[in-house]
Amino acid sequence: MGRREELEKELDAARKRIEALPETTPQEVVKAWHREVDSISFELNNLYDDQSADENSREG
């Protein structure tokens, strides 16, 4: 499994965890989990994709 797939799985799991939060969850935990989602999203969006780069270099 590639890094992109790993990040997508992690992001999906983190989002599901936030959706299923009980209302009694401390705000510090909620904030930490939101930061985790943001961090994973950032890494995923900035991940260098060799295949995409190769395709783009052939087009130009």
Side-chain angles (χ1 to χ4, degrees), residues 5-19:
E5 291 171 338
E6 289 175 14
L7 288 171
E8 288 171 349
K9 283 181 119 177
E10 287 178 31
L11 185 60
D12 187 47
R15 285 181 174 159
K16 286 180 181 176
R17 185 171 53 229
I18 289 173
E19 289 173 6

Side-chain angles (χ1 to χ4, degrees), residues 21-60:
L21 282 175
E23 290 185 24
T24 58
T25 305
Q27 284 300 308
E28 297 85 30
V29 174
V30 174
K31 288 178 183 178
W33 286 354
H34 279 284
R35 283 192 303 268
E36 178 184 11
V37 167
D38 291 343
S39 176
I40 295 168
S41 295
F42 181 80
E43 185 176 350
L44 184 59
N45 289 335
N46 290 301
L47 187 66
Y48 183 76
D49 191 345
D50 290 332
Q51 185 177 1
S52 293
D54 288 343
E55 291 172 2
N56 290 338
S57 66
R58 289 182 200 148
E59 291 174 5

